[in-house]
Amino acid sequence: MREKIRKFLRLRKQNDMVKVSWLFALAGIAAFASVCFRVWGIYAYADTPAEYVLMGEGFISKKCVDELRQMEGVERVSRQMDETVQVMYRGVSAEFDCTGLSRQYVEGMSGVGALEGEAGFDGTKKIYMNKAAFTAWKQAVSEKGGDISELEEGGPEFEVRYSGAGDAGSSGSGDTVGAGSTGRPGSGDLAEAGDAGGSSSGETAGEGDSMKAGDSSGSSGIRQWKTAKLVVIEGGVMDEEEGESGFACMVETDSRLLKEAYQLRIRFRNHDLDGLQVKALRDLGYEIQNEGVLIEEEYEIKGILLHIQYGLMLCAACVVAAWVIGRGVPHAPKI
């Protein structure tokens, strides 16, 4: 072995063809390593959960929900409703879109297990945001003159006051921040949210706590404010899936979802690379609301597959070139 190495080093100094052949060999190794990395990326993507936001035709019956739950690979299904929620921190509030889901669905997303009672572990309503939504809400509060020093320091949760669309005598004004449900899943798993009913968990504001709708921007109407905890979720599937658009959710009661929800959210255990999940949902008559995200994912996967294809071609060409050149060098070590 040592003799072969010495011979190679001598040939490398004496013959440039040896250098060229080994450069091709190294290029082939680099191309193969890149292909392996891309293949692993696709495998990791396919192994993550996939979420779809569906729109049916009119009323969503229990039969529709049960039909989706029986599909192969389905992990969870919930009716879904979106509403604008105002969250106040230290006297300044800002709006964002919040997604209402069933308690069972949110529990599964968070993995916290069964709740102790309908209102959560400590009896307080909880609103969960991923990092993107929290950043947008925090910026809106700051722009309205709010003190966000404590928010800037970070932390798992903050005590706030909140008011939903159903809590106001008339809808308040204010800038909408964050984006509600754009659908995908994936959606970093958001944790459990307040009471199973979306009804008033936490204290309903009394006379001293009833405030004019909106905030420092000014608006008319009486809005009822209630205590809640704002919990920020960093990382996880939901954070990855929703990306820069942000996502916030809380639990709503089955009765309210039955009356007011016109969308469904379904979560599969894995992503589907051949499109069978989307086809099956469309065959059942549903429209995919987060189709834009799916198209973007599809283009990304196609780009990765194209990279793998050309990477394999480059790897094969480099190996063949290195072998042919190496064979033409007298007394060269075999490559």
Side-chain angles (χ1 to χ4, degrees):
M1 175 61 75
R2 291 181 180 178
E3 184 61 29
K4 288 184 177 180
I5 293 175
R6 292 195 190 98
K7 183 184 291 186
F8 168 72
L9 293 175
R10 286 196 302 270
L11 287 171
R12 183 177 61 84
K13 293 178 181 179
Q14 297 170 2
N15 195 327
D16 289 337
M17 296 302 291
V18 175
K19 298 177 184 178
V20 173
S21 67
W22 277 90
L23 284 176
F24 273 113
L26 292 175
I29 293 172
F32 183 73
S34 177
V35 167
C36 291
F37 177 78
R38 299 288 178 174
V39 170
W40 172 255
I42 289 182
Y43 172 79
Y45 167 79
D47 198 44
T48 57
E51 278 190 324
Y52 304 96
V53 179
L54 312 177
M55 175 68 79
E57 295 182 358
F59 176 75
I60 300 173
S61 66
K62 185 177 183 298
K63 180 181 178 181
C64 295
V65 177
D66 291 339
E67 186 178 39
L68 290 174
R69 284 175 177 159
Q70 293 172 3
M71 291 179 63
E72 183 178 356
V74 170
E75 201 172 60
R76 293 187 296 277
V77 179
S78 171
R79 294 180 179 88
Q80 171 176 309
M81 59 179 291
D82 298 326
E83 66 174 318
T84 299
V85 176
Q86 277 208 6
V87 172
M88 176 184 292
Y89 182 75
R90 294 186 175 179
V92 179
S93 68
E95 292 181 347
F96 60 89
D97 294 333
C98 190
T99 298
L101 298 166
S102 69
R103 181 162 64 107
Q104 293 77 11
Y105 195 96
V106 177
E107 285 177 8
M109 292 168 69
S110 63
V112 297
L115 298 178
E116 296 182 1
E118 291 187 350
F121 290 108
D122 56 5
T124 303
K125 185 80 170 179
K126 292 185 179 180
I127 302 172
Y128 287 83
M129 286 182 173
N130 67 359
K131 190 175 181 181
F134 177 67
T135 299
W137 173 78
K138 184 173 61 175
Q139 181 178 353
V141 171
S142 176
E143 289 174 353
K144 294 175 181 179
D147 180 9
I148 62 170
S149 56
E150 185 177 330
L151 299 177
E152 291 289 355
E153 294 175 2
E157 59 184 44
F158 306 91
E159 185 170 313
V160 296
R161 307 283 284 174
Y162 83 99
S163 179
D167 300 316
S170 64
S171 59
S173 66
D175 299 328
T176 299
V177 300
S181 169
T182 56
R184 223 174 26 146
S187 6
D189 279 350
L190 293 180
E192 156 276 326
D195 76 57
S199 58
S200 101
S201 61
E203 258 178 57
T204 300
E207 182 179 349
D209 293 326
S210 295
M211 306 183 68
K212 293 290 183 182
D215 48 27
S216 55
S217 62
S219 59
S220 61
I222 301 301
R223 181 177 292 273
Q224 296 293 324
W225 295 89
K226 292 168 281 187
T227 301
K229 284 188 177 179
L230 180 63
V231 182
V232 183
I233 306 297
E234 295 192 25
V237 176
M238 188 60 70
D239 218 16
E240 295 170 4
E241 296 287 350
E242 300 298 338
E244 296 181 357
S245 61
F247 184 83
C249 81
M250 59 184 174
V251 166
E252 291 292 352
T253 57
D254 290 339
S255 59
R256 188 181 181 196
L257 289 172
L258 184 63
K259 293 176 183 178
E260 301 182 32
Y262 293 94
Q263 291 180 321
L264 286 159
R265 180 175 284 253
I266 181 171
R267 175 163 175 151
F268 289 85
R269 294 185 184 89
N270 306 100
H271 274 93
D272 178 28
L273 297 179
D274 53 13
L276 293 180
Q277 291 175 354
V278 173
K279 182 179 183 301
L281 292 172
R282 285 176 176 158
D283 288 345
L284 290 174
Y286 293 104
E287 179 183 345
I288 311 296
Q289 294 294 290
N290 56 328
E291 189 169 10
V293 175
L294 302 180
I295 292 174
E296 183 180 343
E297 285 183 347
E298 184 180 353
Y299 280 124
E300 289 178 2
I301 293 297
K302 286 182 177 179
I304 293 174
L305 292 175
L306 193 63
H307 183 99
I308 291 173
Q309 178 182 350
Y310 283 106
L312 289 173
M313 293 171 59
L314 177 61
C315 178
C318 289
V319 170
V320 170
W323 180 78
V324 170
I325 294 173
R327 296 278 294 181
V329 176
H331 309 296
K334 293 183 179 180
I335 297 176

